[in-house]
Amino acid sequence: MLIIPIKEGENIDRALKRFKRKFDKTGTMRQLRKRQQFNKPSVVRRAQIQKAEYIQGLRDQEEI
Protein backbone atom coordinates (compact mmCIF):
# COMPACT_ATOMS: atom_id res chain seq x y z
CA MET A 1 0.00 0.00 0.00
CA LEU A 2 1.33 3.39 -0.97
CA ILE A 3 1.03 6.25 1.47
CA ILE A 4 1.40 9.79 0.18
CA PRO A 5 1.43 12.40 2.94
CA ILE A 6 -0.31 15.58 1.83
CA LYS A 7 1.14 18.78 3.21
CA GLU A 8 -0.98 21.63 4.52
CA GLY A 9 -2.36 23.66 1.64
CA GLU A 10 -0.89 21.36 -1.03
CA ASN A 11 -2.73 21.11 -4.32
CA ILE A 12 -4.46 17.75 -4.83
CA ASP A 13 -3.16 17.55 -8.41
CA ARG A 14 0.41 17.75 -7.16
CA ALA A 15 -0.22 15.00 -4.60
CA LEU A 16 -1.83 12.85 -7.30
CA LYS A 17 1.19 13.37 -9.53
CA ARG A 18 3.49 12.23 -6.69
CA PHE A 19 1.29 9.16 -6.18
CA LYS A 20 1.44 8.24 -9.87
CA ARG A 21 5.22 8.65 -9.94
CA LYS A 22 5.67 6.50 -6.85
CA PHE A 23 3.25 3.88 -8.24
CA ASP A 24 5.19 3.70 -11.51
CA LYS A 25 8.45 3.15 -9.64
CA THR A 26 7.05 0.14 -7.81
CA GLY A 27 6.46 -1.66 -11.11
CA THR A 28 3.13 -3.11 -10.03
CA MET A 29 1.40 -2.66 -13.38
CA ARG A 30 4.34 -4.08 -15.34
CA GLN A 31 4.34 -7.12 -13.10
CA LEU A 32 0.57 -7.64 -13.47
CA ARG A 33 0.75 -7.39 -17.25
CA LYS A 34 3.66 -9.82 -17.32
CA ARG A 35 1.70 -12.35 -15.27
CA GLN A 36 -1.37 -12.21 -17.51
CA GLN A 37 0.17 -14.59 -20.01
CA PHE A 38 2.61 -17.43 -19.65
CA ASN A 39 5.74 -17.52 -21.79
CA LYS A 40 7.71 -20.71 -22.11
CA PRO A 41 11.25 -20.50 -20.71
CA SER A 42 12.67 -21.21 -24.17
CA VAL A 43 10.78 -18.22 -25.62
CA VAL A 44 11.99 -15.96 -22.82
CA ARG A 45 15.58 -17.13 -23.32
CA ARG A 46 15.34 -16.57 -27.08
CA ALA A 47 14.04 -13.04 -26.55
CA GLN A 48 16.90 -12.28 -24.15
CA ILE A 49 19.44 -13.54 -26.69
CA GLN A 50 17.89 -11.46 -29.48
CA LYS A 51 17.94 -8.36 -27.27
CA ALA A 52 21.59 -8.97 -26.37
CA GLU A 53 22.51 -9.41 -30.05
CA TYR A 54 20.73 -6.19 -30.95
CA ILE A 55 22.48 -4.21 -28.22
CA GLN A 56 25.85 -5.71 -29.17
CA GLY A 57 25.22 -4.70 -32.79
CA LEU A 58 24.52 -1.13 -31.71
CA ARG A 59 27.71 -1.04 -29.67
CA ASP A 60 29.73 -2.43 -32.60
CA GLN A 61 28.32 0.30 -34.87
CA GLU A 62 29.35 2.96 -32.34
CA GLU A 63 32.95 1.75 -32.37
CA ILE A 64 33.21 1.97 -36.16
Side-chain angles (χ1 to χ4, degrees), residues 47-57:
Q48 288 175 344
I49 291 171
Q50 287 176 342
K51 183 178 178 183
E53 288 174 348
Y54 174 75
I55 292 172
Q56 188 63 43

Side-chain angles (χ1 to χ4, degrees), residues 12-64:
I12 191 70
D13 292 329
R14 189 178 200 112
L16 187 60
K17 188 174 183 178
R18 282 192 327 189
F19 171 78
K20 287 180 180 180
R21 197 176 320 130
K22 200 171 192 180
F23 184 75
D24 285 340
K25 285 184 181 179
T26 61
T28 306
M29 289 305 292
R30 278 181 270 139
Q31 188 178 30
L32 283 174
R33 288 187 181 120
K34 183 181 174 187
R35 289 183 181 191
Q36 281 182 345
Q37 81 181 53
F38 175 76
N39 291 327
K40 295 191 320 185
S42 60
V43 173
V44 173
R45 207 173 319 116
R46 190 178 321 129
Q48 288 175 344
I49 291 171
Q50 287 176 342
K51 183 178 178 183
E53 288 174 348
Y54 174 75
I55 292 172
Q56 188 63 43
L58 291 177
R59 289 185 179 153
D60 290 343
Q61 284 179 355
E62 267 184 14
E63 291 176 3
I64 295 175

